[in-house]
Every structure is written in structure tokens, then in C-alpha cells.
Amino acid sequence: MKKLVKPLLAVLLFTAASASMAQQAPKPEQVIKWRQSVYQVLAWNNGRIKNNVEGTYNKDEVIRAANAIAALANSGLGALYPAGTETGKGWRETTVKPELFTETAKAGEAAKKFITESNELAKVAATGDAAAVKVQFGKLGQTCKGCHDDFRKKD
Amino acid sequence: MKKLVKPLLAVLLFTAASASMAQQAPKPEQVIKWRQSVYQVLAWNNGRIKNNVEGTYNKDEVIRAANAIAALANSGLGALYPAGTETGKGWRETTVKPELFTETAKAGEAAKKFITESNELAKVAATGDAAAVKVQFGKLGQTCKGCHDDFRKKD
């Protein structure tokens, strides 16, 4: 299992980074701005799903939001954490903890859980089963919270 | 044609807004922050594809980036332009032009083109045909430029 998982995580986390950075390394502040933006976009879509599972359920809106979350989860977000971005300011000072850059196996596991649960949510959303979406949305939320607890400073 | 297109645009642009705003209207500054973040995430993925078509082509990275752009294009971005966000500060002062809120048919057409070309890019990216991706990436870029010219103030 380890043999399989480790290279997979490496691909998920670092391929995109090395591929694009060989050509043109963006400035650390730009990279931090991009990653801060990703979390805002995730939060927007997360909030939309929350509104739907707690209120009137609109299948299409949930599908759109879940697909956006999944596509971002699958987009190779590890590329947004290159060396040199442990501290610094994007839109604002980064809230990343230094542990994200040192506890790479643990961070990789957290990323993997987020990807898995996001993809599952997109699948469940497509069925339009509001109750099942609520359950899966809770599971996704746990992966967000876990990663924030371990790797994100409190505001 | 008009009969079909107009309701479709209305759905694309406004369904998400009305569905979630009925429950819990986010503050204008939060909405502006979200939409500014969306464009940063689009720019990040756009830059990755650009690097690939101009340099070493990595099929998987292009697929990930194109899928992220398409999912965002399909996510109902019109919801991020509710009344009350014509001016204001998210991460920074909005650069949207007032015309976006008044020339709604034209804005809808621009949104539709962006969605169409994004979805096409995701399809082409999946084939791994770098030359075809380059062509389609150019078409997508035209839709970005067109909308920026008409509806975005210069920095």
C-alpha cells in the first residue's frame, strides 16, 4: 500500500509544481495569493452546499458547487505550496503553519482525504439525493477541519 | 433561438444567486472577495496551461487545469454579481464596470461564450493533443479578453 500511495501523493502534490516552475517561477506573493483565492472559492461553494442541505435543496446548484470543489481538489493544489512560501503575504499574510512544509507525509494524507471526499461528494450530488449529500458533505467538512487544525494558524 | 437562449442565460446567471440568497445573503464585500478569488484561480490555471502549450507539455497538468477552469465556468458565476456589488471592496476595490449590471443581455452572451469555450477546452485537453489544446486555449483567451474589455476597468 505504502509503495502505491507514496508515489501517488507525490504526483498529486508536486508534479504540477515542478512542471510549471521549470518554465517560469511565479513570485511567492503571487503563489500565496492564488492559494488564498482557492480557499475563498472553496468556501463560496461550501457555503452554497450548506445553504442547500440546510434549506431548500436545488439539485443543480449543489452539482455545480460540488463539481467546482472536486475540480479544485483534483487540480494539484500542492503546486501552491512551493519552498519559499512558508511565510509571506498574498492578499494578506499567509496563515499556513510551518508543519505543512516539514510533515509532508501527513500533509499528503490530508490532501488525499480531501480529494477522495470531494470526488465522492460530486458523485453523490449528481444523484440529487439530498440526505446522502448532507452525509457526504459532513465527511468533506471533516477533512477541511482536520487539515485546518493541523496546518492552518488561527485567524 | 432567442426563446431558448434567454431562459438558459437566466438560469446560468441567476438561479444560483436567488437560491442561496433567499436563505442567507452574504455581505457585498464577501461576494466581491469571492469573485476576485475566482479570477485569481482562473489566472493560475490559465498560466499553467500557457506554460504547457509554450513549453514542455504535461497532459495531466493541462487536464487538471482545464477541468478546474471548466468547473468554475459552469459553477454559476453570475451569483457573484448580485445588486449591491457594483462598487465596493473585497480583497481590493472591485474593477467591475457598471455596464455589467445594466447590459445584462450582452453580459449573458459573454458568460455563455466563456462557458462554451471552457467546456470545449476541457474536452480537448482530455485527448492530450497539444496542438489542438493550443488552438482551443486561444479561443478561450479571446472570451476572457472580450469580457475584460467590455466589463472590467483597467488596473
Side-chain angles (χ1 to χ4, degrees):
Chain A
M1 184 64 184
K2 272 203 166 169
K3 259 190 176 165
L4 186 71
V5 168
K6 278 199 173 171
L8 175 66
L9 291 179
V11 167
L12 291 171
L13 288 172
F14 302 116
T15 304
S18 51
S20 50
M21 288 179 67
Q23 291 166 331
Q24 188 179 356
K27 290 183 182 162
E29 54 264 41
Q30 178 61 69
V31 177
I32 296 173
K33 194 180 272 192
W34 284 333
R35 76 188 183 209
Q36 290 174 335
S37 295
V38 166
Y39 292 107
Q40 285 289 323
V41 177
L42 291 173
W44 169 50
N45 287 290
N46 195 67
R48 294 204 290 174
I49 298 173
K50 186 169 184 285
N51 285 343
N52 274 275
V53 296
E54 291 178 359
T56 308
Y57 195 84
N58 179 313
K59 180 185 172 184
D60 290 336
E61 187 183 13
V62 173
I63 289 174
R64 284 195 293 267
N67 285 348
I69 292 172
L72 289 176
N74 291 319
S75 72
L77 297 179
L80 296 176
Y81 296 89
T85 63
E86 296 85 348
T87 58
K89 195 177 172 178
W91 290 114
R92 57 171 190 166
E93 287 298 324
T94 182
T95 53
V96 74
K97 286 184 184 174
E99 286 83 352
L100 187 88
F101 298 86
T102 54
E103 298 175 13
T104 50
K106 190 176 171 185
E109 275 303 316
K112 191 165 159 276
K113 280 182 199 166
F114 172 57
I115 293 167
T116 301
E117 302 301 353
S118 296
N119 286 331
E120 186 60 27
L121 182 62
K123 259 193 232 167
V124 177
T127 69
D129 180 341
V133 165
K134 193 170 186 173
V135 170
Q136 183 55 32
F137 182 60
K139 288 186 189 171
L140 176 59
Q142 286 305 308
T143 74
C144 299
K145 187 183 179 306
C147 201
H148 289 182
D149 287 349
D150 290 338
F151 298 116
R152 184 177 187 267
K153 293 176 195 162
K154 305 285 171 227
D155 279 316
Chain B
M1 185 62 184
K2 270 205 167 166
K3 257 191 176 162
L4 187 72
V5 169
K6 279 201 171 169
L8 176 68
L9 291 178
V11 167
L12 290 171
L13 288 171
F14 301 115
T15 305
S18 51
S20 50
M21 289 181 66
Q23 291 166 332
Q24 191 180 352
K27 290 183 183 163
E29 54 264 41
Q30 178 60 71
V31 176
I32 296 173
K33 194 180 270 190
W34 283 334
R35 75 189 183 207
Q36 289 174 337
S37 294
V38 166
Y39 292 106
Q40 284 289 321
V41 176
L42 291 173
W44 169 49
N45 286 291
N46 195 67
R48 297 205 287 174
I49 298 173
K50 185 169 185 286
N51 284 343
N52 273 274
V53 296
E54 290 179 359
T56 310
Y57 196 84
N58 179 313
K59 180 186 173 185
D60 290 336
E61 188 184 12
V62 173
I63 290 174
R64 285 196 292 267
N67 285 347
I69 291 172
L72 289 177
N74 292 318
S75 71
L77 297 180
L80 295 176
Y81 295 90
T85 63
E86 295 86 348
T87 58
K89 195 177 172 178
W91 290 113
R92 59 173 188 161
E93 288 297 325
T94 183
T95 53
V96 75
K97 286 185 185 173
E99 286 82 352
L100 187 88
F101 298 85
T102 53
E103 297 175 11
T104 50
K106 190 175 170 186
E109 274 303 315
K112 191 165 159 272
K113 280 183 198 164
F114 173 58
I115 293 167
T116 302
E117 301 302 351
S118 297
N119 286 332
E120 187 60 26
L121 182 62
K123 260 192 231 167
V124 176
T127 68
D129 180 341
V133 165
K134 193 170 186 171
V135 171
Q136 183 55 32
F137 182 60
K139 288 186 189 172
L140 176 59
Q142 286 305 311
T143 76
C144 298
K145 187 182 177 306
C147 201
H148 288 182
D149 287 347
D150 289 338
F151 298 116
R152 185 177 185 268
K153 292 176 195 161
K154 306 284 170 227
D155 278 319

